[in-house]
Amino acid sequence: MPHTFVVSDHAFSFPIIPRTEPPTFYDRVIDGLPEIEKFVYCAFHQPIRITATMFESWLRILKRVPNSVLWLPSGIAEENIKKETIKILGSNGLSRVISAPNLDFNLHMQRAHRSCQCFLDNYIHNGVTNTMDFLWLGIPVITLPGDRMVQRVAGSLLTALNITETIAKSYNDYEDIAVKIAIDNEFREKIKQKLYDAHFNSPIFKSEVFVNHFEQLLLNITRPKYQFY
């Protein structure tokens, strides 16, 4: 495929305009986040896919950005979360790792649209549809590609969007980019503007473009190599 192997129908299933302003006090209250202004990292991955190495990386990001929180899905082993959080952030850090209740798709997307400021992709298994969801919402995504296909989805999408600045080369690089997104307003706004423009113009959000390209590939495969008529 000329752009990416991931297909999206978000323009039809969840039409929305990316936010350009940060979360408001009201947004935070209804989403169960701290009422005072903090940078909100999200990592809404299936709990079974989150490794200790990945979670420790997210905690190191929080340590370097004191005015931040990590928003996770519910269902992750609470005792393990507490243990690792205390080890890296101390007991005061427990309030900075926040569990989000399970919601249906539309409510979840509305919640993310309101309050998430950066999506932290997962290394061992990328977010896949999750990643596409957050890119569609105009939320910066940071990823660390691996060698397997499931570890290269976000990198494929970001490359297609020409947002290679948030594709990391190592865990250290991943953490540096995540910190920069939070503290460097100019860098963050640059990424958000790229996402805003892509929302309306990028072929990865146009399912009809994907279908046309895929159809042409199938025709090329099935068409006889030599035709004598």
Side-chain angles (χ1 to χ4, degrees), residues 20-166:
T20 56
E21 72 280 358
T24 65
F25 172 85
Y26 176 73
D27 293 332
R28 295 174 184 277
V29 170
I30 63 176
D31 288 329
L33 294 166
E35 297 173 10
I36 58 174
E37 184 176 343
K38 288 186 180 293
F39 190 82
V40 181
Y41 292 106
C42 300
F44 289 120
H45 302 282
Q46 292 186 29
I48 196 172
R49 294 176 178 171
I50 301 174
T51 64
T53 301
M54 189 78 261
F55 185 63
E56 288 170 3
S57 178
W58 295 338
L59 291 177
R60 288 195 294 269
I61 293 167
L62 293 189
K63 188 172 185 178
R64 293 174 59 185
V65 186
N67 194 39
S68 65
V69 296
L70 176 62
W71 211 10
L72 296 172
S74 60
I76 298 177
E78 292 185 7
E79 289 306 314
N80 291 342
I81 291 290
K82 290 179 181 179
K83 178 182 176 182
E84 294 301 322
T85 301
I86 292 172
K87 183 172 72 175
I88 294 178
L89 299 178
S91 57
N92 291 334
L94 292 173
S95 63
R96 298 177 60 195
V97 179
I98 301 167
S99 178
N102 293 322
L103 298 175
D104 70 26
F105 175 75
N106 283 338
L107 291 176
H108 168 66
M109 290 283 278
Q110 291 168 19
R111 169 177 65 186
H113 183 254
R114 281 192 301 266
S115 297
C116 182
Q117 293 173 275
C118 177
F119 180 73
L120 298 175
D121 194 29
N122 192 33
Y123 174 68
I124 199 70
H125 195 301
N126 285 182
V128 191
T129 53
N130 243 356
T131 302
M132 180 69 87
D133 292 342
F134 281 85
L135 291 173
W136 172 250
L137 295 176
I139 297 168
V141 171
I142 301 170
T143 191
L144 173 60
D147 297 325
R148 298 183 297 126
M149 181 178 177
V150 294
Q151 296 176 301
R152 304 184 68 82
V153 178
S156 172
L157 292 170
L158 289 168
T159 299
L161 292 171
N162 193 31
I163 307 178
T164 56
E165 301 95 325
T166 59

